[in-house]
Amino acid sequence: MAMLLGMSAFGIAACDSDDGPAEETGQSIDNAADDAGDASEDAMDDAEDSAENAADETGDAMDNAADETGDAMDDAGDEMEQAGDDMEDEADDARN
């Protein structure tokens, strides 16, 4: 019995070390599938990074536009206040 088990183990080990064409083809297919999966994952990561960068740039542009609009409104308010002061001065001069 022990001899039979020993010979079986040797036979199985011998089969594992000598891959046939079907086994090699299977390994090639597995490797190609792994490579394709890795490439797909890399492409998705790149697309995610690009989308995040675009969102960041859009957010920055919107912040800048809001700042510029606020600055323009402040300037317009200052000019209106100055115009009001000028009109008040002219009215005072006209009364005197």
Side-chain angles (χ1 to χ4, degrees), residues 12-74:
I12 291 172
C15 288
D16 285 340
S17 66
D18 185 25
D19 294 339
E23 181 69 25
E24 291 175 6
T25 300
Q27 285 294 326
S28 294
I29 291 170
D30 287 346
N31 290 340
D34 287 344
D35 291 346
D38 291 344
S40 177
E41 192 173 314
D42 289 345
M44 291 299 290
D45 288 343
D46 290 346
E48 182 180 354
D49 290 343
S50 293
E52 287 176 2
N53 289 338
D56 288 344
E57 289 174 7
T58 300
D60 290 345
M62 290 177 69
D63 287 344
N64 290 339
D67 289 344
E68 290 175 9
T69 300
D71 290 345
M73 291 184 73
D74 286 344

